[in-house]
Amino acid sequence: MKCPKCHSPMQTHSLETNAGTVSVDQCTRCKGIWFDSGEAEILKEEWRSLFLDTGDPKIGQIYNEIKDIDCPRCHQPMHHQKDVRQNHIEYEVCMEHGVFMDAGEFADYKVISVIESVQNLMKHLKNKSNKNQMTNKNSGVNMDCPKCSNNMAEHSVDIHFPAR
């Protein structure tokens, strides 16, 4: 297989995981890594996989500027995509065969920074708040259930007063 960025030969590296042996291909020149479909996600959870990305991230940033590349498997144009959880990471995707990450991108993809974790949490809380506000506007009730967090309008409530 040839590197989709610099067209140099790729070298196969294998790693034993809980899901079995995973083999990735790394460029011998620019050190970009080809992951067959699903491999990047499997390896993201393996601490030892961090050692697969041996390339210089500064070189990877240079090669990241190359946008029009073809899949090394089917030779069709790949799509440029940002990672949904870490939008500063951009990689190329073949919907049928896999993902190509430039040198340093997989190491970055593996590790979510504290700032990114907080940003993701804030986005989640904002989405939940927006959902609750929409439910509240539709129901006229402005209170969430303390047990299940659903809008109180979704519950039937029996009120029992203690006897005096």
Side-chain angles (χ1 to χ4, degrees):
M1 179 188 308
K2 298 281 185 191
C3 175
K5 293 273 178 122
C6 72
H7 308 290
S8 296
M10 304 280 277
Q11 182 178 12
T12 302
H13 299 280
S14 297
L15 185 67
E16 289 297 322
T17 70
N18 291 334
T21 303
V22 176
S23 297
V24 298
D25 300 287
Q26 186 174 38
C27 178
T28 56
R29 181 174 176 218
C30 72
K31 301 299 184 189
I33 303 174
W34 171 260
F35 299 91
D36 288 329
S37 293
E39 288 178 339
E41 292 79 14
I42 291 170
L43 291 173
K44 185 174 188 170
E45 304 304 320
E46 292 285 330
W47 68 270
R48 294 170 296 171
S49 66
L50 189 58
F51 301 107
L52 291 173
D53 194 352
T54 59
D56 182 349
K58 290 179 183 175
I59 301 294
Q61 288 175 346
I62 293 168
Y63 278 95
N64 197 41
E65 297 302 315
I66 301 171
K67 305 290 184 199
D68 298 323
I69 68 170
D70 294 335
C71 172
R73 299 270 189 234
C74 67
H75 308 290
Q76 296 299 310
M78 294 180 73
H79 304 282
H80 198 71
Q81 182 173 316
K82 288 187 175 200
D83 186 69
V84 293
R85 292 185 68 199
Q86 301 178 80
N87 64 10
H88 68 278
I89 301 175
E90 300 176 356
Y91 45 81
E92 289 73 34
V93 177
C94 172
M95 297 301 186
E96 191 173 333
H97 295 107
V99 173
F100 183 81
M101 293 187 181
D102 294 300
E105 284 181 336
F106 180 68
D108 195 5
Y109 171 77
K110 253 185 91 51
V111 180
I112 295 179
S113 72
V114 172
I115 291 171
E116 290 163 333
S117 295
V118 170
Q119 288 172 337
N120 290 335
L121 176 63
M122 296 302 289
K123 183 191 273 185
H124 173 75
L125 293 174
K126 182 179 178 184
N127 289 339
K128 185 176 180 180
S129 174
N130 289 342
K131 179 182 171 191
N132 285 341
Q133 286 175 0
M134 289 183 68
T135 302
N136 294 342
K137 286 178 185 176
N138 294 336
S139 67
V141 174
N142 216 6
M143 183 191 262
D144 290 337
C145 175
K147 287 188 179 179
C148 70
S149 298
N150 288 333
N151 191 283
M152 289 298 286
E154 297 174 18
H155 294 289
S156 61
V157 179
D158 292 327
I159 300 175
H160 299 281
F161 293 99
R164 290 187 184 203

